[in-house]
């Protein structure tokens, strides 16, 4: 089991973005998690590919881009050009998911399929062997700072079972409401990657927080 920490830039201080990137570069964080929102799939608007491009210039870690947009197939080329290393698309936002998954791979990126809290993971049974990540949403997507949905523990279990049954090598990523209290349990229960925004960026010492999350500390 990996213990990958992917801080979500949505909670960063945009006025001091370079400082935040430098802080993450020098931390034990593994990836940059970047949330793209279109005000259609989710009600919020965040930032677009030019934001990813700016971060890529200074970041020394993989860019984990989470597309919360309808018909994400329209933007694959654009995000590749801006430096995305991983592209997550939502099961609920994509009609021709098989084609989109393979298109992302053809562009040389790793691909994740994200599922909203209401979407059962058995729906991934015919694609689980084709993807690199399952992104389990542990809040309803759109905003940072929301409360973790406990049903996620069951979904984690279901995802692990599916991965095992289908001999898939997909890693499990959990996104939303992750804090020091649930992080160690999530890792223990099979999560490979944890995304955290508020918990990391609202802390007076984000680097220390990342360190504690990685170690599975609970306080
Ligand atoms: C929610 C986003 C998350 C969010 C996490 O729609 O996908 O990545 O930034 O923020 P926290 O950790 O504050 O829930
Ligand atoms: Zn996200």
């Amino acid at each position: 089991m990996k213990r990958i920490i992917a801080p979500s830039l949505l909670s960063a201080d945009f006025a001091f973005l370079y400082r935040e990137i430098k802080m993450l570069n020098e931390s034990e964080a593994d990836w940059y998690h970047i949330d793209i929102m279109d005000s259609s799939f989710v009600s919020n608007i965040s930032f677009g590919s030019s934001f990813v491009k700016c971060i890529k210039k200074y970041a020394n870690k993989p860019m984990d881009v989470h597309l919360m947009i309808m018909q994400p197939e329209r933007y694959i080329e654009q995000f590749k050009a801006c430096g995305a290393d991983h592209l997550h698309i939502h099961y609920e936002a994509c009609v021709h998911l098989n084609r989109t998954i393979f298109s992302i791979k053809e562009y040389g990126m790793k691909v994740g399929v994200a599922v909203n809290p209401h979407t059962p993971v058995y729906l991934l049974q015919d694609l689980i062997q084709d993807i690199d990540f399952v992104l389990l949403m542990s809040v309803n997507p759109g905003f940072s700072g929301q409360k973790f949905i406990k049903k996620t523990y069951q979904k984690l279990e279901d995802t692990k079972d599916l991965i095992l049954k289908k001999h898939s090598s997909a890693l499990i990523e959990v996104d939303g409401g992750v804090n020091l209290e649930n992080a160690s349990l999530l890792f223990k229960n099979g999560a490979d990657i944890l995304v955290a925004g508020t918990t990391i960026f609202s802390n007076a010492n984000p680097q220390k927080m990342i360190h504690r999350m990685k170690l599975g500390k609970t306080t």
Side-chain angles (χ1 to χ4, degrees):
M1 189 193 43
K2 322 217 175 246
R3 278 174 180 249
I4 291 172
I5 301 289
S8 165
L9 270 292
L10 192 61
S11 300
D13 186 342
F14 300 158
F16 296 96
L17 200 50
Y18 178 69
R19 189 189 67 189
E20 303 279 49
I21 295 169
K22 202 165 168 289
M23 178 278 289
L24 290 179
N25 280 346
E26 291 162 4
S27 77
E28 290 172 58
D30 301 277
W31 299 346
Y32 282 79
H33 184 83
I34 305 177
D35 291 299
I36 311 291
M37 303 177 183
D38 66 351
S39 94
S40 176
F41 180 67
V42 293
S43 57
N44 201 2
I45 300 175
S46 56
F47 26 71
S49 56
S50 50
F51 185 81
V52 180
K53 196 174 175 183
C54 287
I55 296 168
K56 184 77 179 181
K57 258 200 280 181
Y58 304 105
N60 63 5
K61 296 169 186 188
M63 310 282 278
D64 189 56
V65 177
H66 177 189
L67 298 183
M68 280 160 276
I69 61 180
M70 297 303 294
Q71 297 170 269
E73 61 276 8
R74 295 173 295 160
Y75 293 99
I76 297 171
E77 192 177 356
Q78 194 170 318
F79 280 100
K80 171 66 185 176
C82 290
D85 296 289
H86 313 154
L87 213 53
H88 298 275
I89 48 175
H90 266 264
Y91 178 88
E92 305 83 4
C94 200
V95 177
H96 298 290
L97 198 47
N98 177 280
R99 186 190 294 151
T100 308
I101 286 167
F102 282 97
S103 172
I104 292 171
K105 287 177 154 188
E106 274 161 27
Y107 275 98
M109 293 178 281
K110 289 193 172 176
V111 58
V113 170
V115 289
N116 277 341
H118 71 271
T119 303
V121 292
Y122 71 75
L123 291 171
L124 307 183
Q125 63 185 359
D126 290 335
L127 56 81
I128 194 80
Q129 289 160 326
D130 302 324
I131 62 177
D132 299 290
F133 315 111
V134 174
L135 181 59
L136 293 178
M137 290 309 302
S138 39
V139 297
N140 285 292
F143 299 90
S144 56
Q146 301 184 80
K147 197 169 176 284
F148 179 82
I149 296 173
K150 291 215 169 100
K151 181 95 203 308
T152 310
Y153 290 116
Q154 183 56 53
K155 291 185 83 167
L156 195 48
E157 202 62 48
D158 297 344
T159 313
K160 268 194 316 182
D161 289 348
L162 183 64
I163 287 173
L164 222 59
K165 193 173 136 207
K166 294 282 189 176
H167 307 291
S168 159
S169 55
L171 299 179
I172 309 176
E173 184 163 345
V174 177
D175 183 8
V178 173
N179 54 36
L180 218 43
E181 243 169 55
N182 55 32
S184 76
L185 205 53
L186 287 165
F187 275 142
K188 271 191 202 132
N189 284 278
D192 300 289
I193 305 134
L194 297 180
V195 175
T198 309
T199 297
I200 291 173
F201 288 98
S202 69
N203 194 276
N205 190 337
Q207 292 180 332
K208 202 166 163 190
M209 176 54 79
I210 292 166
H211 176 72
R212 296 174 98 80
M213 289 181 104
K214 241 182 142 60
L215 285 183
K217 300 242 182 209
T218 48
T219 51

